């Protein structure tokens, strides 16, 4: 029971860290890009990953965690896949309307459920599927304003969905099958993610913004916000791997939509963004879907735990019964030996 409580506290801590850091970085990046006019999202992400790797490297040298070697091919492919998915999401936003981009992000949950069902034989109950449906409807109502389709944008969105889903499933699978922690996996994969974005980022950003990241005027306040964004990103990247490792890719996506609702709410209260009854209704529906998802997952987890405990107890009884019988037989044999003539 103590180990179970400790694990639950670890999950809650990871979820809280993920939400707090993600909402913080969205507000910081919104101020950086909207108010200070720094539009280079892909390049900024490469800087985030480089700072994350450098921070983890310092932590490793100070013996805060132990590095566990992972197959080089696995790490390289995993890092490149995650880097490509980030680039494709940014390109998707550039080629599509904001509404279609939000639809792309919403599609990640059902696609992840489909992949885990087909290839990992994972079962999702009807109640969990209903709660996910409710969540997606709520977020859709709250965040989708327009849906303008085009062929290139649609292809990029499909590729972004596929690479993001596979990347997040692998994040969970690698940690569990290779028995590595989120810190160890992030430490080894971050350089490859950073490298592909560092090389492609300036070209992607120039294509999307028609501006050159190297000719931008970096005022002290811009540099300050970039530094703050990179420091918060260390927590974001760490908590992302932590949450997916401790829970599942679907739970991480549910958490992501909670962040969307919180960002909308913070945008209204702190940045005075426009807020309509439709936004409020969508957020309430989404929160209801999240609560139901959490409740159904908790019930399923408790049911699984109780069945595992009963199986363990039955196995223990089977193991101990022959031993007791053997002791009884030995005792009877000693009594017979004692009373038998020499």
């Amino acid at each position: 029971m103590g180990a179970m409580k400790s694990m639950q506290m670890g999950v809650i801590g990871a979820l809280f860290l993920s939400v707090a850091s993600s909402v913080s970085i969205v507000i910081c990046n919104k101020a950086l890009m909207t108010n200070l006019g720094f539009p280079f999202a892909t390049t900024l992400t490469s800087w985030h990953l480089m700072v994350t790797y450098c921070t983890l490297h310092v932590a490793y040298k100070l013996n805060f965690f132990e590095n566990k070697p992972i197959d080089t091919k696995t790490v390289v492919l995993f890092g490149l896949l995650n880097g490509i998915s980030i680039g494709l999401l940014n390109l998707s936003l550039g080629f599509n309307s904001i509404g279609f981009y939000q639809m792309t992000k919403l599609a990640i949950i059902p696609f992840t459920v489909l992949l885990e069902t087909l290839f990992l034989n994972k079962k999702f109950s009807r109640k969990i599927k209903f709660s996910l449906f409710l969540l997606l409807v709520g977020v859709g109502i709250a965040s989708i304003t327009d849906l303008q389709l085009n062929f290139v944008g649609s292809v990029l969105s499909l590729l972004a969905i596929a690479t993001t889903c596979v990347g997040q499933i692998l994040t969970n699978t690698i940690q569990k099958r290779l028995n590595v922690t989120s810190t160890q996996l992030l430490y080894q994969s971050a350089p490859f993610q950073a490298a592909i974005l560092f090389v492609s980022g300036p070209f992607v950003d120039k294509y999307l913004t028609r501006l050159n990241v190297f000719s931008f005027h970096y005022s002290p306040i811009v540099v300050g916000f970039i530094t703050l964004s990179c420091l918060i990103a260390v927590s974001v990247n760490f908590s992302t791997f932590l949450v997916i490792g401790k829970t599942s890719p679907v739970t991480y996506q549910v958490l992501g939509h909670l962040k969307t609702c919180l960002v909308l709410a913070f945008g209204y209260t702190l940045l005075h963004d426009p807020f309509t009854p439709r936004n409020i209704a969508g957020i309430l529906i989404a929160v209801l879907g999240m609560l139901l998802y959490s409740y159904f997952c908790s019930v399923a987890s408790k049911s699984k735990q109780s069945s595992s405990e009963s199986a363990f107890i039955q196995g223990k009884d089977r193991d101990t019964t022959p031993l007791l019988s053997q002791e009884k037989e030995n005792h009877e044999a000693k009594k017979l030996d004692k009373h038998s003539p020499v």
Side-chain angles (χ1 to χ4, degrees):
M1 286 296 289
M4 190 65 187
K5 280 188 177 179
S6 177
M7 193 176 92
Q8 288 175 345
M9 290 302 294
V11 171
I12 292 169
L15 295 174
F16 177 78
L17 179 63
S18 180
V19 171
S21 57
S22 296
V23 172
S24 300
I25 203 169
V26 166
I27 294 171
C28 178
N29 287 349
K30 185 162 187 178
L32 178 63
M33 294 179 181
T34 305
N35 300 336
L36 300 175
F38 184 86
F40 310 107
T42 309
T43 304
L44 180 63
T45 305
S46 72
W47 296 345
H48 287 168
L49 287 162
M50 281 191 284
V51 172
T52 299
Y53 172 73
C54 291
T55 305
L56 289 176
H57 187 66
V58 171
Y60 167 63
K61 290 297 182 182
L62 294 173
N63 297 319
F64 280 100
F65 70 93
E66 181 182 346
N67 186 28
K68 185 174 181 179
I70 305 174
D71 176 56
T72 306
K73 186 179 177 182
T74 301
V75 173
V76 171
L77 291 175
F78 173 73
L80 293 178
L81 179 67
N82 277 289
I84 290 168
S85 73
I86 294 169
L88 286 171
L89 281 169
N90 287 338
L91 280 171
S92 172
L93 179 57
F95 276 89
N96 295 306
S97 64
I98 293 175
F100 193 80
Y101 175 72
Q102 288 294 340
M103 280 292 293
T104 300
K105 291 173 72 177
L106 290 178
I108 290 172
I109 284 185
F111 200 80
T112 302
V113 169
L114 177 65
L115 288 179
E116 290 197 310
T117 302
L118 291 177
F119 297 105
L120 299 179
N121 295 322
K122 192 169 181 180
K123 305 296 181 186
F124 295 87
S125 67
R126 288 185 180 180
K127 291 179 179 178
I128 287 179
K129 289 177 182 175
F130 172 73
S131 65
L132 291 173
F133 172 75
L134 206 60
L135 164 68
L136 296 176
V137 169
V139 175
I141 292 171
S143 61
I144 296 174
T145 53
D146 61 327
L147 285 174
Q148 298 174 12
L149 303 178
N150 65 79
F151 177 73
V152 176
S154 300
V155 171
L156 287 171
S157 292
L158 286 172
L159 290 173
I161 291 167
T163 52
T164 301
C165 292
V166 173
Q168 290 179 359
I169 290 171
L170 283 176
T171 302
N172 179 272
T173 306
I174 290 172
Q175 288 186 58
K176 289 183 176 175
R177 291 192 179 175
L178 300 183
N179 195 27
V180 295
T181 65
S182 55
T183 311
Q184 291 167 337
L185 181 58
L186 180 59
Y187 176 60
Q188 295 202 41
S189 64
F192 301 103
Q193 295 182 58
I196 191 168
L197 291 175
F198 188 73
V199 172
S200 63
F203 297 102
V204 172
D205 288 334
K206 187 171 184 178
Y207 184 81
L208 296 176
T209 65
R210 304 288 185 257
L211 297 171
N212 191 334
V213 66
F214 300 110
S215 61
F216 185 81
H217 174 64
Y218 291 88
S219 64
I221 189 168
V222 170
V223 173
F225 267 90
I226 289 173
T227 304
L228 178 61
S229 178
C230 288
L231 292 175
I232 298 172
V234 175
S235 178
V236 172
N237 291 324
F238 173 72
S239 62
T240 296
F241 278 60
L242 191 63
V243 168
I244 295 175
K246 284 186 173 291
T247 57
S248 70
V250 173
T251 299
Y252 175 73
Q253 285 298 323
V254 170
L255 193 68
H257 293 306
L258 169 61
K259 298 170 197 172
T260 301
C261 295
L262 289 174
V263 167
L264 288 171
F266 277 114
Y268 173 71
T269 54
L270 298 179
L271 305 175
H272 306 292
D273 289 343
F275 215 55
T276 65
R278 174 180 167 173
N279 296 132
I280 297 171
I283 287 174
L284 290 176
I285 293 171
V287 168
L288 176 61
M290 289 175 212
L291 292 173
L292 287 174
Y293 175 80
S294 300
Y295 173 73
F296 293 143
C297 283
S298 176
V299 169
S301 177
K302 286 178 181 176
S303 174
K304 190 176 178 181
Q305 183 190 353
S306 61
S307 63
S308 298
E309 286 178 354
S310 63
F312 174 75
I313 291 169
Q314 288 173 4
K316 196 173 179 183
D317 288 343
R318 282 195 298 270
D319 290 341
T320 53
T321 302
L323 180 63
L324 291 172
S325 300
Q326 186 67 40
E327 286 179 354
K328 190 174 180 182
E329 288 173 10
N330 290 341
H331 182 68
E332 293 294 334
K334 283 180 182 177
K335 283 174 69 178
L336 287 171
D337 288 343
K338 196 178 286 186
H339 293 95
S340 61
V342 179

